[in-house]
Amino acid sequence: VRPSCADRADEADRSRLISTDRSLERWFVDHRAGWLNPVFEGLSYAGSFGLGWIGLALVLSALWRRWAVLGLTIVVVALADASATGLKAAFDRERPPERYAEPDPLVNVPDTGSFPSGHAATSFAAATILSFAFPRLGPIFLVLAAAVGFSRVYVGVHYPLDIVGGAVLGVLIAIALRLLVTARRRSLQGTRAD
């Protein structure tokens, strides 16, 4: 049995974390630079459902004739999106516009919960898979994924912790998929050798 003071400490830590998360979101939204609005709106739209990432994978796959990369990107984006959607339903965290009336968000507010960010999950999942396939471009992919994630805070529809949660989810899904594909290849090679 845990002492009641431990419960209060956990609650206080959680409360401080959420309070800091909300304060950071408010600071970013209250300090928008008008000339940057179209940039972050564009990044937010490009990250929708991972479609920008699939387009990027298509171009890279065509240039390097590595079509399996396109297939893996589609699969990892679908897995990340489905996982984020399921977790959003489980956590059901309200979005910033549901809590704060001003300023208005720069994009349409989704009907789903806020945590974790689906844009961050799909972006980091795709960026991780593409980084495995094209290691020299990895830093560019990860910076782009971070920019897509941050865009969701900037436009006013997510908190920073939503982005962190989505990023972790996306990276974990991509790593798991890579391990699965690698194990499958080894298994098939072992079968052929016999």
Side-chain angles (χ1 to χ4, degrees):
V1 177
R2 289 175 25 165
S4 62
C5 63
D7 289 336
R8 284 188 293 243
D10 288 347
E11 288 175 19
D13 288 344
R14 204 172 319 128
S15 178
R16 275 193 294 268
L17 181 64
I18 297 299
S19 176
T20 302
D21 191 34
R22 288 178 178 157
S23 295
L24 274 173
E25 185 274 339
R26 287 289 86 192
W27 189 89
F28 286 122
V29 170
D30 289 338
H31 291 86
R32 290 178 185 149
W35 63 274
L36 283 175
N37 290 0
V39 172
F40 287 112
E41 289 172 28
L43 283 167
S44 186
Y45 287 121
S48 296
F49 306 108
L51 295 177
W53 291 100
I54 293 170
L56 179 59
L58 175 63
V59 170
L60 293 171
S61 295
L63 289 174
W64 275 278
R65 299 190 190 283
R66 295 178 64 190
W67 296 106
V69 174
L70 175 60
L72 286 174
T73 303
I74 292 169
V75 169
V76 82
V77 164
L79 289 171
D81 188 53
S83 299
T85 299
L87 289 171
K88 285 177 188 218
F91 285 102
D92 197 29
R93 183 179 190 195
E94 67 185 353
R95 290 184 179 266
E98 295 168 2
R99 183 171 189 84
Y100 307 105
E102 296 289 327
D104 288 334
L106 300 178
V107 297
N108 292 331
V109 181
D111 296 333
T112 57
S114 186
F115 183 86
S117 166
H119 280 67
T122 58
S123 292
F124 276 91
T128 303
I129 284 293
L130 291 173
S131 294
F132 288 142
F134 307 103
R136 289 184 179 171
L137 298 174
I140 294 169
F141 298 141
L142 294 173
V143 167
L144 183 57
V148 169
F150 175 73
S151 75
R152 302 299 283 169
V153 175
Y154 184 91
V155 299
V157 295
H158 274 293
Y159 297 101
L161 284 178
D162 301 340
I163 307 310
V164 172
V168 169
L169 177 65
V171 168
L172 291 175
I173 289 170
I175 290 170
L177 180 62
R178 182 168 195 240
L179 291 173
L180 183 68
V181 168
T182 302
R184 178 79 174 134
R185 280 187 191 144
R186 286 186 184 146
S187 171
L188 290 175
Q189 288 171 349
T191 305
R192 289 182 190 150
D194 293 341

